[in-house]
Amino acid sequence: LPTAPAAHVWGPPPPPAAPVDISLGVLTISDRASAGAYDDLSGPEIVNCMSEYAEKAGGGGWRLHVAERAVVPDEEAQISAKLREWSSGGGCSLVLTTGGTGLAPRDVTPEATAAVLTRETPGITELLLRESMKIEPLAALSRATSGVAGRTLVINLPGRPHAVRQNLNILMPVLGHALLGIKERVDDGVEGWG
């Protein structure tokens, strides 16, 4: 009997073909951090991870600027309002949220995000979930979502700093391609990936 060909294992994607300007918004969603009960550790972890990646060769020409940072409580209206503010004025090309993606009644980040998205990016959401579950089986409990709001890519990340770093290590190699695809579609009418 003939044997099946070996499955091809793909490596990370190559860097984007053009430099990528990233105006980053970091939104931490936490009742306790917004009330000052403890320090926000996940928001700074996002900035650290993104900055480290931009500074090394794998950053593929990222030019990272942290445009916005905020901490809000687990209130759907406040989360959506901040996402609308940062995505409607063109101030952020990328918004990364942290927190509020679990199963607790106050975990409303996915609903607040969905309310502002014009297009979902299920491939990004699935990539993060699939790869995260290889490291942390409880990642299966995440309800995180992602998508495009106007010209802004919005992605929900977990609330724990180490989980933020794990997710960003998965995400960063494809971020530049996603942001260039959004920019090309809006600016030039050129089709991006897909």
Side-chain angles (χ1 to χ4, degrees):
L1 294 171
T3 59
H8 182 76
V9 177
W10 296 96
V20 181
D21 291 314
I22 299 178
S23 296
L24 176 63
V26 178
L27 183 60
T28 300
I29 295 107
S30 167
D31 287 333
R32 292 178 291 168
S34 68
Y38 68 75
D39 291 335
D40 169 26
L41 301 177
S42 296
E45 185 67 5
I46 290 173
V47 173
N48 290 338
C49 290
M50 294 288 289
S51 298
E52 289 169 11
Y53 191 79
E55 291 171 6
K56 68 181 188 176
W62 282 14
R63 292 185 291 249
L64 180 67
H65 166 68
V66 180
E68 301 283 355
R69 288 176 77 169
V71 179
V72 297
D74 292 279
E75 294 290 343
E76 191 171 341
Q78 289 185 43
I79 299 165
S80 292
K82 191 60 71 178
L83 293 174
R84 278 191 193 92
E85 175 189 336
W86 290 357
S87 63
S88 65
C92 295
S93 59
L94 172 66
V95 174
L96 298 174
T97 72
T98 176
T101 61
L103 299 175
R106 298 228 4 111
D107 288 339
V108 295
T109 302
E111 290 79 10
T113 301
V116 303
L117 298 179
T118 52
R119 291 183 295 156
E120 292 182 354
T121 53
I124 290 174
T125 305
E126 182 181 331
L127 172 69
L128 290 175
L129 179 59
R130 183 182 65 240
E131 296 302 314
S132 295
M133 286 174 50
K134 293 176 183 177
I135 302 165
E136 171 55 70
L138 292 178
L141 303 178
S142 173
R143 299 181 314 106
T145 192
S146 64
V148 179
R151 301 174 78 149
T152 303
L153 180 60
V154 181
I155 302 172
N156 299 157
L157 298 174
R160 295 184 321 267
H162 76 277
V164 163
R165 182 168 286 273
Q166 288 170 348
N167 274 251
L168 285 175
N169 285 333
I170 297 162
L171 180 64
M172 288 185 291
V174 300
L175 266 181
H177 295 282
L179 294 170
L180 282 178
I182 293 167
K183 183 178 181 349
E184 288 173 353
R185 285 181 183 267
V186 173
D187 292 348
D188 305 324
V190 175
E191 290 296 317
W193 288 99

